[in-house]
Amino acid sequence: MSHLPGVRQARKQKTRQALLDAALELLEGQSLSSLGLREVTRAAGIAPTAFYRHFRSVEDLGVALVEEALGSLHPMIRTTVSTIGDGEERIARAIDLIVGHVDAYPAHVRFVTRERHGGVRPVREAIHGQLGLFTAEVAEALAADAVSAGWSREDVLMLAQLYVDLMLGTASLLLEGAREWERVSRVAARQMRLIGIGRAHWLDQPDGGG
């Protein structure tokens, strides 16, 4: 009897994940605003009434998908801005990580890029909130780099935003152009080099650092 609560919790978690997986698969061909509760429960193989044991609404499910999707993105962003290695090594590592992430989590990337400016406000706000946290984390890593000595916090955050936007944009382009990964990767590498050059000379500008 003492094991029953654990079994029930495991079943509940399994059903919740089934709903998330079903929704994510359905969202490959449509936006969240057009997704229906019965459509999700039918795909997950559960009764519609059981949905409310896990989520308050489809919008609530969408917010949970944001957490899941960006949770998978988190290690990629953290490793991409690592200061280990020279400039070209870091760029190559960043591109490899982005390509690998898109290959491993295409549905997550598609969901985030589509809903980032989508019509479901709670989901859009959740994505923006999570990306804001990522930007702050990237800024913290960049601020610890010797190249950032003398930079203002605002400028470091601006640089971090450039990197986050570039990574997301590259992931989206890779997803859309399955046959053009080499070209997309090459352009992304050049963009990172350009950011790196600008970063190295930022304080040379009259308004640099402030």
Side-chain angles (χ1 to χ4, degrees), residues 1-179:
M1 292 293 291
S2 61
H3 297 295
L4 286 179
V7 171
R8 283 196 295 268
Q9 184 61 32
R11 288 176 179 170
K12 183 177 180 181
Q13 182 58 37
K14 184 178 179 179
T15 302
R16 184 179 189 276
Q17 190 61 50
L19 288 166
L20 290 170
D21 292 344
L24 193 61
E25 184 174 351
L26 289 166
L27 287 168
E28 292 202 32
Q30 62 184 303
S31 64
L32 186 68
S33 60
S34 65
L35 190 65
L37 183 153
R38 290 183 177 277
E39 187 180 6
V40 175
T41 53
R42 182 167 59 250
I46 68 170
T49 53
F51 178 92
Y52 295 104
R53 298 173 190 163
H54 307 276
F55 303 103
R56 296 186 300 273
S57 62
V58 172
E59 289 80 3
D60 187 38
L61 180 149
V63 171
L65 275 176
V66 171
E67 296 172 358
E68 180 180 87
L70 292 181
S72 70
L73 190 68
H74 188 81
M76 182 194 77
I77 290 182
R78 185 175 60 245
T79 308
T80 297
V81 298
S82 168
T83 59
I84 299 172
D86 61 26
E88 287 302 310
E89 182 181 345
R90 289 160 70 174
I91 289 173
R93 182 177 63 242
I95 298 300
D96 286 345
L97 284 166
I98 296 170
V99 170
H101 186 84
V102 173
D103 189 47
Y105 302 100
H108 283 161
V109 174
R110 184 177 293 107
F111 170 72
V112 171
T113 55
R114 177 182 289 160
E115 299 299 331
R116 185 181 182 187
H117 304 291
V120 179
R121 183 175 178 179
V123 173
R124 188 172 65 246
E125 291 178 345
I127 292 173
H128 290 174
Q130 288 291 327
L131 292 180
L133 293 175
F134 281 149
T135 299
E137 181 177 337
V138 170
E140 184 178 354
L142 293 172
D145 198 344
V147 182
S148 300
W151 283 50
S152 68
R153 174 171 172 76
E154 290 76 14
D155 286 352
V156 174
L157 281 170
M158 179 173 64
L159 177 64
Q161 187 68 63
L162 284 174
Y163 276 119
V164 171
D165 286 345
L166 175 57
M167 284 184 276
L168 286 173
T170 300
S172 179
L173 288 172
L174 287 168
L175 192 65
E176 294 172 5
R179 298 182 180 179

